[in-house]
Each structure stands twice: as structure tokens, then as C-alpha cells.
Amino acid sequence: MEIEIKAKVKDLKDIRRKLIKFGAKSIRKVHQIDTYYSLYKRPLSKRKGGIVRVRHNKNMKQTLFEFDWAKNAVAAYEIEVEVDSLENIQAILKKMKARKEVVVDKKREYFKKGILEIVLDDIRGLGKFVEIEIQGQDSKRNRQKIINFYKHLG
């Protein structure tokens, strides 16, 4: 299970400096194109439950097919598989009559600090964001770790 918070920020450079100062290690940088699909008659914006996403990591030449469903406001279950071909998964979704809802183009930088994964996002048309997450149980303790680190970043 993934527990995370996301927040819009003004300056990724300042956050990056603080992460390095706090001992977080830069893991990788990627350029991702996320395409969200609805498999149901109702659009994603008007429904709760599962979300289908195709994530194409352009600089890594990797494509992932994901199904996510929210447990609550901060925790979600996620099933993710790597697929051989972006074109093939798009063709399958088209045959299933899946409706393309939104495309998100983002440049991401991943950091690791203990059990925390921190991601700095620059999302075309939306702005700059920081995401802090833990893979594990949705517990008060894990939520507090994320909140404390976010507060520590300022």
C-alpha cells in the first residue's frame, strides 16, 4: 500500500537543496507521460474507485500499466506491471472502449531518505509539486512520519 501526500510548491531548487542537506539521496530523473483512462461510463472526475493509468517513462523507454484504487484520502492500493509496448497497451484499451481522460506530462526527480520516497515534479501546465510517500501499512505512525518530514522541509 502507498501512503502519500502531495503539495504544490513555488521553488523546486530550494526543496532539492533542503533534501540534500537532510541527507536524502537523489535516485533518478525521469520524463513521464501519464495517460489516464476510464473503463466505465462515468468520467473519472465523477466517480470514486479504481483508476487505470498508462505511464510511459520516455528517457528510460519503459511503459507501465497501472490500476489504482483509493483506500482513503492519503492511502491507495496499486497494481503495476511493465508492458513491452506502449502501442500495444493503447490498442488493447481502445478495443476495450476505454476512454482517454487526461494526459499528464511531467519531469520527476526521485529522492530516498530512509523509508521515505520524495519526488519533485514539474508538471506541464500545472506547476511544481513535492510528493512524499511510504510503501507500507496505512498506520497513524506512517502518516505521522510523512507529515513530520513535510513540516521539516518547510
Side-chain angles (χ1 to χ4, degrees):
M1 177 172 299
E2 179 178 277
I3 304 97
E4 68 179 29
I5 60 169
K6 297 177 188 180
K8 192 165 188 173
V9 296
K10 292 180 182 177
D11 184 9
L12 289 178
K13 289 179 185 176
D14 184 50
I15 300 290
R16 187 179 294 108
R17 275 193 296 274
K18 287 179 182 179
L19 287 170
I20 291 167
K21 180 181 174 186
F22 299 152
K25 302 292 181 206
S26 179
I27 305 298
R28 68 184 177 281
K29 294 180 181 182
V30 295
H31 181 187
Q32 292 178 335
I33 309 293
D34 288 346
T35 306
Y36 293 85
Y37 292 87
S38 176
L39 298 176
Y40 311 97
K41 292 182 179 181
R42 296 174 68 193
L44 293 176
S45 62
K46 295 189 178 187
R47 59 177 308 281
K48 295 180 181 178
I51 296 174
V52 173
R53 173 176 64 198
V54 175
R55 170 169 283 166
H56 183 62
N57 294 311
K58 290 183 78 168
N59 53 327
M60 297 169 62
K61 297 189 183 349
Q62 176 191 48
T63 301
L64 303 170
F65 179 75
E66 290 185 17
F67 183 71
D68 301 332
W69 63 101
K71 178 181 179 198
N72 54 46
V74 296
Y77 299 99
E78 181 179 275
I79 299 172
E80 177 181 89
V81 294
E82 188 168 352
V83 295
D84 291 337
S85 165
L86 174 62
E87 294 76 18
N88 285 346
I89 197 66
Q90 289 171 333
I92 290 168
L93 288 165
K94 185 175 180 178
K95 290 287 186 190
M96 292 174 65
K97 300 192 183 328
R99 183 174 46 226
K100 186 187 293 186
E101 296 283 344
V102 66
V103 177
V104 179
D105 184 341
K106 57 188 163 186
K107 294 188 177 161
R108 310 188 95 186
E109 184 173 5
Y110 289 83
F111 287 84
K112 191 77 172 163
K113 171 75 172 149
I115 64 168
L116 297 172
E117 182 178 74
I118 305 97
V119 184
L120 305 182
D121 287 334
D122 189 355
I123 303 174
R124 183 180 290 164
L126 292 177
K128 296 165 181 19
F129 297 82
V130 63
E131 177 181 302
I132 304 168
E133 74 177 49
I134 292 177
Q135 296 289 332
Q137 293 298 317
D138 180 22
S139 65
K140 188 174 183 178
R141 183 174 181 215
N142 280 340
R143 287 181 183 204
Q144 198 58 51
K145 285 179 185 178
I146 292 171
I147 292 166
N148 289 345
F149 192 79
Y150 179 71
K151 287 179 180 176
H152 194 63
L153 280 177

